[in-house]
């Protein structure tokens, strides 16, 4: 990934185990400060958080990883029920 510039917009995505919880919504954020391995970003609600720079991406994960026509979970046939495993 190239080094982002302050003021540039990118997506916050959960690539690292310690990704902030806001990354799971994959919001578009504004770069405030970039320091190589760390970045300070501004969320859409105005909060600023510091995160690993590997949690930044040019596009959303779902937009490139999954084909648009794939079904996430198939429908069960009539007469079948799903049993919870926990």
């Amino acid at each position: 990934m190239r080094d982002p510039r302050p003021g540039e917009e990118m997506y916050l995505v959960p690539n690292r185990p310690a990704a902030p919880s806001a990354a799971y919504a994959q919001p578009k954020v504004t770069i405030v400060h970039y320091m190589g391995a760390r970045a300070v970003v501004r969320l859409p609600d105005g909060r600023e958080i510091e995160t690993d720079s590997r949690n930044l991406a040019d596009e959303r994960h779902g937009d490139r990883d999954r084909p648009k026509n794939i079904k996430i979970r198939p429908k069960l046939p009539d007469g079948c029920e799903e049993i919870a495993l926990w």
Side-chain angles (χ1 to χ4, degrees):
M1 182 182 93
R2 61 177 171 64
D3 291 346
R5 296 180 309 273
E8 186 176 353
E9 290 188 342
M10 297 187 83
Y11 287 99
L12 182 62
V13 295
N15 282 330
R16 306 297 302 154
S21 59
Y24 289 90
Q26 297 185 18
K28 191 174 235 183
V29 296
T30 305
I31 305 297
V32 176
H33 187 66
Y34 182 79
M35 305 161 278
R38 305 295 292 173
V40 176
V41 298
R42 183 174 297 117
L43 297 172
D45 63 3
R47 292 182 296 146
E48 290 185 2
I49 60 171
E50 183 178 341
T51 185
D52 191 301
S53 62
R54 291 174 284 187
N55 289 327
L56 297 173
D58 293 331
E59 57 186 26
R60 289 177 179 251
H61 272 206
D63 293 347
R64 68 163 186 229
D65 291 344
R66 190 180 64 208
K68 300 291 183 203
N69 60 355
I70 192 169
K71 291 182 180 179
I72 302 296
R73 183 175 218 158
K75 184 178 176 186
L76 292 174
D78 291 336
C80 295
E81 68 180 68
E82 187 171 346
I83 298 172
L85 298 176
W86 57 90

